Amino acid sequence: MKCRIDRSNCKIFLNFGKMPIANGFLKKKDFKSEYFFNLSVGFNEKLSLFQLKSNPHPKKMFNKNYPFYTSSSKYMVKHFKKFAQWIKNNFTKNKNFKILEIGSNDGTFLNNFKNYFHVGIEPSLSVHKVALINKINSKNKFFDQTSLKKYIKKKVFFDVIVGSNVICHIPNQNELIRNVKKILKEDGVFIFEEPYLGAMYKKISYDQIYDEHIYMFSASSISKIFQRYNFHLIDAIPQITHGGSMRYIIKRKKNENEKNLVNIFNYENKKKLNKIESCIEFKSNCETSKKKILDKIKSIKEKGGSICGYAATSKSTTILNYCNIGTNYIDYICDTTKEKIGKFSPGMHIPIKDMDHFHNNMKDFVYLFAWNHKDEIFNKETNFKGKWISHVEL
Ligand code: TMP
């Protein structure tokens, strides 16, 4: 395959097989028409870039029914408040400060910038509507040439452009960077947080790989991609969100003090994150992980134990479909999102139930799909006296 960004050779090293839309929770009547695609992954050594071979059309993923609300996690609400404060402390010196968020979801982050000139660009109608209720200046559009026309024409330039867990969703990174360049002030910053390749390798959290995550970035790959457009990665700050993420800070001018960045590049070189070898090792780790979790589940069932799932995450779609885990193993998955409750999980069709159902029908074992929200969940589910299980270490 050819790299999506520079068209150089990209080696496919991992194939998860047939996958549905990760956030495509569905009703029984829609089982027959469910959409599937082949989930396989390639690596371009030249750009150090981990990427999906193919992905469903973005309109299939981000639409009026998109069921992921950033505010569903109290921890994430706090995280975005802190992130906003960090931006205010470092980048709001200008009186006419302007900020734009790509993929602003329900406005959780921009809620902290209501007193500033702010714009949220959000293609999914469901979450955009909530942002409007929250009085966020949200536009129900994809971040593209059309949505930016108005700002380009009126010469509105932004001090800060932000994206969280959305930049890796954008198939055409070349176009994304060109568009950022058009509306970013000369001394403006582009800041984004994304799940980190190094963290995924370390935790063997291969459930981070699903249709929306077209790329899994590292500091090395981001630096190389942006250099192609004379942008510079000036800092990278590790985050614990989403099981290990990285905040990237991009500017037109290079930084003088890059000590932190050098340390991160050294780490990535040491771990061979720039080489296909690390991909091959990851592939083998995924296979071992699949075997281990299936052995565990089978052994629980053989002993007469019951299992339910906790949190119908997008990530769980990869686990359930790749490991072929259905209602033969897991009775139901509970979740707080009203748009998911009463529907079935993509591909494997496990029923999604509300939290009352969980509290009234506790099982011997609970598969924690939202392992990245473990602290928040363990703190509130102290009544559960059985065992938590997962494919990653809890
Ligand atoms: P994500 O992993 O795709 O971000 O989705 C998180 C899902 O987990 C979302 O559907 C909400 C659900 N969730 C709960 O059901 N209970 C919780 O306590 C938390 C933090 C999340």
Side-chain angles (χ1 to χ4, degrees):
M1 91 184 239
K2 297 283 181 211
C3 172
R4 289 164 176 264
I5 294 184
D6 72 356
R7 309 300 302 157
S8 61
N9 278 337
C10 199
K11 191 174 165 51
I12 296 175
F13 64 93
L14 182 54
N15 189 350
F16 291 105
K18 204 174 96 169
M19 281 287 158
I21 302 283
N23 261 312
F25 295 87
L26 70 175
K27 294 184 179 145
K28 223 176 214 164
K29 70 171 175 53
D30 298 322
F31 286 177
K32 274 202 182 124
S33 58
E34 192 170 12
Y35 173 88
F36 289 89
F37 74 109
N38 191 68
L39 182 67
S40 59
V41 187
F43 189 73
N44 172 10
E45 275 196 329
K46 227 168 119 194
L47 289 183
S48 311
L49 188 58
F50 186 104
Q51 55 196 280
L52 299 192
K53 179 172 184 282
S54 58
N55 59 279
H57 192 282
K59 284 184 181 159
K60 268 200 183 312
M61 301 185 273
F62 310 111
N63 50 40
K64 65 179 180 11
N65 297 320
Y66 189 63
F68 175 72
Y69 292 77
T70 306
S71 56
S72 66
S73 160
K74 283 203 180 90
Y75 178 81
M76 289 310 289
V77 175
K78 265 194 220 150
H79 169 77
F80 284 120
K81 193 168 179 183
K82 271 202 248 157
F83 184 12
Q85 193 54 50
W86 177 82
I87 290 181
K88 285 178 191 173
N89 294 345
N90 290 289
F91 303 105
T92 49
K93 286 169 198 109
N94 180 346
K95 252 193 171 173
N96 299 314
F97 176 81
K98 293 186 183 64
I99 185 164
L100 179 141
E101 187 182 12
I102 304 173
S104 40
N105 198 277
D106 56 11
T108 299
F109 171 79
L110 283 180
N111 202 25
N112 301 291
F113 285 95
K114 272 189 185 161
N115 296 331
Y116 295 86
F117 181 93
H118 68 274
V119 179
I121 308 276
E122 175 49 60
S124 305
L125 184 64
S126 47
V127 289
H128 156 78
K129 277 185 179 164
V130 177
L132 289 184
I133 293 168
N134 291 336
K135 303 220 165 5
I136 302 296
N137 182 25
S138 175
K139 310 283 174 199
N140 184 215
K141 289 184 171 139
F142 279 95
F143 181 77
D144 58 16
Q145 186 80 14
T146 324
S147 58
L148 301 185
K149 225 183 215 162
K150 180 168 117 188
Y151 307 106
I152 296 169
K153 200 171 160 202
K154 289 189 179 166
K155 293 196 172 20
V156 175
F157 297 104
F158 291 86
D159 298 270
V160 176
I161 298 178
V162 190
S164 297
N165 312 304
V166 292
I167 301 306
C168 71
H169 294 181
I170 301 177
N172 191 340
Q173 294 281 310
N174 293 320
E175 193 185 303
L176 162 81
I177 301 171
R178 282 197 293 265
N179 284 333
V180 164
K181 207 164 201 177
K182 281 179 196 156
I183 55 160
L184 187 68
K185 270 190 185 160
E186 202 46 41
D187 60 349
V189 277
F190 180 28
I191 306 169
F192 55 95
E193 293 185 358
E194 302 292 309
Y196 179 54
L197 182 72
M200 181 179 78
Y201 279 179
K202 196 168 167 195
K203 296 199 162 87
I204 321 173
S205 47
Y206 64 88
D207 49 341
Q208 289 287 7
I209 304 169
Y210 56 90
D211 52 9
E212 293 176 21
H213 290 176
I214 297 172
Y215 302 95
M216 193 55 70
F217 296 125
S218 60
S220 310
S221 60
I222 289 296
S223 170
K224 289 177 188 171
I225 295 167
F226 279 83
Q227 261 172 31
R228 289 162 47 85
Y229 291 88
N230 295 323
F231 269 125
H232 297 282
L233 174 65
I234 62 155
D235 207 353
I237 308 170
Q239 307 292 318
I240 57 166
T241 49
H242 289 293
S245 300
M246 192 66 88
R247 178 179 300 167
Y248 301 102
I249 299 130
I250 310 277
K251 273 190 115 173
R252 285 191 174 86
K253 272 203 188 120
K254 254 192 170 168
N255 219 5
E256 311 227 311
N257 183 6
E258 290 191 331
K259 202 171 143 223
N260 182 40
L261 211 45
V262 170
N263 286 340
I264 291 178
F265 287 146
N266 286 343
Y267 170 81
E268 294 186 353
N269 285 333
K270 199 172 128 208
K271 295 285 174 195
K272 293 198 167 66
L273 295 195
N274 302 320
K275 301 272 175 227
I276 190 77
E277 284 105 291
S278 61
C279 302
I280 308 288
E281 188 185 337
F282 176 64
K283 173 193 190 281
S284 150
N285 289 342
C286 291
E287 287 160 0
T288 310
S289 169
K290 173 180 178 177
K291 188 176 174 317
K292 250 167 91 179
I293 193 69
L294 276 174
D295 286 349
K296 187 180 243 166
I297 289 176
K298 282 177 189 163
S299 136
I300 291 171
K301 295 305 277 185
E302 273 160 24
K303 290 180 193 142
S306 57
I307 312 172
C308 69
Y310 196 104
T313 61
S314 26
K315 296 192 291 292
S316 67
T317 298
T318 299
I319 299 294
L320 297 169
N321 286 274
Y322 173 58
C323 299
N324 201 20
I325 298 171
T327 44
N328 49 340
Y329 294 137
I330 291 188
D331 298 340
Y332 66 87
I333 304 173
C334 63
D335 198 280
T336 52
T337 314
K338 76 175 190 314
E339 287 78 0
K340 296 182 185 177
I341 296 161
K343 291 188 178 164
F344 294 82
S345 74
M348 298 311 293
H349 304 161
I350 300 172
I352 312 299
K353 302 285 184 185
D354 63 14
M355 297 314 296
D356 283 348
H357 187 89
F358 171 68
H359 294 124
N360 296 326
N361 296 275
M362 282 191 179
K363 301 289 167 183
D364 307 316
F365 292 82
V366 177
Y367 195 134
L368 182 61
F369 291 116
W371 51 267
N372 48 317
H373 297 295
K374 154 181 107 166
D375 294 340
E376 183 173 349
I377 291 169
F378 286 178
N379 275 337
K380 63 181 170 188
E381 300 301 351
T382 46
N383 281 341
F384 173 60
K385 302 294 179 217
K387 271 208 165 134
W388 295 93
I389 58 168
S390 184
H391 55 286
V392 294
E393 237 171 75
L394 292 178

